Amino acid sequence: MAAEPDLIIEKIESIIQDIVFSLSRNESPSYTIISKSRSNVKQSADGIQLGNATTKIEMFGRQGASTIRFSKVIQILALVYKLVQEGGRVTQRDAYYTLSPIFTSQNDFNCCFEDVLRMLDVPRRSLGITAAPKGSIAGSVKITQGSEEIDCLLLGNSGYELPGDPSKLKFESLGARYILVVEKDAVFKTLCEKLIWNEVPCVLITGRGFPGLAVREVVSKCEKLFQLPVLGLFDYNPHGLQIFLNYKFGSTRLGRETYYSIL
């Protein structure tokens, strides 16, 4: 469930006010984020979740490293504030390019953005920054987005490319009996060419390797909506097992968002 824009704006303004207040008193500004320490990771049959323990991040830390990271997080907060106020939406890639003079790489941006997510404790879709499209769906399913309807049985071997924010997509089963998750895009396209859903009525989904949040969310959403068994086709190696476990249980990188993407 998305958070209300007013709540996000209020949280950001409160964080900035606390920073300004600390500086005015010659104190080191700080912010708190949900901890990813092992002791705060809760594992159960329902997946991996982070608990309520927090970590304090000081602006003036050792060797200046904390100061640099702190300033980068504040820059992302400023961008999020503007996006939420204006109702804008960009991909994480676009956000990185917007702030590229500040960040050394996309990974550098992603790590700081994770701090923002754990600081505000809201789903990333609420912040106006979404993942880039990375995944496809095909087979016995119809997708509705606004006034547009897509019958995936009529698509070619590339299927329907899933957007970075799938929250507004509506799914309808067209007689599917299974949800088949495929690790590799090449295998996905081969199964589409062979029209596998004619032999095994299924919803076919791929994350094109390690899946992004949007793909995992779609798999979870279809499983809960259609009440169908989810089958997986992954490489028989440690990397394939890691991808399978990520679909099944989520990861600590998702923080509280794991709820939206586990099976």
Side-chain angles (χ1 to χ4, degrees):
M1 183 179 296
E4 290 294 332
D6 289 346
L7 173 62
I8 297 170
I9 289 173
E10 182 181 330
K11 283 187 174 184
I12 295 175
E13 289 178 347
S14 176
I15 291 167
I16 299 303
Q17 286 171 1
D18 288 344
I19 291 172
V20 172
F21 183 70
S22 295
L23 289 171
S24 70
R25 299 182 61 181
N26 293 321
E27 298 173 350
S28 176
S30 64
Y31 59 79
T32 56
I33 60 176
I34 297 170
S35 173
K36 290 201 299 183
S37 65
R38 181 172 297 181
S39 61
N40 196 43
V41 176
K42 314 299 180 183
Q43 300 185 41
S44 69
D46 295 325
I48 299 173
Q49 295 276 3
L50 293 181
N52 296 319
T54 58
T55 299
K56 187 177 182 180
I57 307 297
E58 295 275 354
M59 183 175 185
F60 302 120
R62 58 183 183 275
Q63 299 178 351
S66 294
T67 305
I68 295 172
R69 187 180 182 95
F70 196 101
S71 64
K72 290 177 177 179
V73 168
I74 297 305
Q75 290 294 328
I76 295 178
L77 275 178
L79 175 61
V80 167
Y81 188 86
K82 183 173 184 291
L83 289 170
V84 173
Q85 271 195 324
E86 299 176 354
R89 191 166 295 275
V90 298
T91 66
Q92 281 186 221
R93 189 68 172 167
D94 290 335
Y96 161 64
Y97 281 125
T98 299
L99 301 175
S100 58
I102 302 166
F103 294 91
T104 58
S105 65
Q106 179 74 60
N107 187 60
D108 183 25
F109 174 88
N110 292 346
C111 289
C112 291
F113 184 50
E114 284 183 29
D115 275 8
V116 171
L117 289 170
R118 290 189 287 137
M119 182 197 310
L120 298 177
D121 194 17
V122 297
R124 70 189 65 204
R125 69 168 64 121
S126 300
L127 304 183
I129 300 178
T130 64
K134 184 180 178 289
S136 299
I137 185 170
S140 305
V141 62
K142 182 169 72 174
I143 301 171
T144 303
Q145 184 173 23
S147 60
E148 181 183 13
E149 290 189 351
I150 301 100
D151 185 342
C152 291
L153 289 170
L154 305 178
L155 300 179
N157 64 4
S158 60
Y160 173 78
E161 185 173 60
L162 294 169
D165 178 9
S167 61
K168 295 183 180 179
L169 299 182
K170 296 181 179 179
F171 300 90
E172 178 185 342
S173 173
L174 299 177
R177 295 173 59 190
Y178 306 96
I179 298 169
L180 178 57
V181 180
V182 180
E183 174 186 346
K184 293 187 173 178
D185 189 44
V187 176
F188 174 86
K189 289 180 177 178
T190 298
L191 293 176
C192 286
E193 289 174 353
K194 294 183 179 297
L195 304 177
I196 185 175
W197 44 83
N198 288 340
E199 301 296 327
V200 182
C202 64
V203 178
L204 189 65
I205 302 174
T206 181
R208 301 173 190 165
F210 206 92
L213 175 62
V215 175
R216 285 173 277 181
E217 186 175 337
V218 167
V219 174
S220 178
K221 191 173 185 178
C222 287
E223 188 266 342
K224 292 178 173 64
L225 179 63
F226 302 152
Q227 294 292 297
L228 295 174
V230 180
L231 309 178
L233 183 57
F234 306 98
D235 281 349
Y236 186 56
N237 57 31
H239 184 67
L241 178 60
Q242 183 183 24
I243 292 175
F244 161 73
L245 292 174
N246 199 269
Y247 275 109
K248 179 65 177 175
F249 297 108
S251 70
T252 56
R253 286 191 65 186
L254 293 181
R256 313 279 187 149
E257 292 181 296
T258 293
Y259 170 80
Y260 301 101
S261 62
I262 57 176
L263 300 176

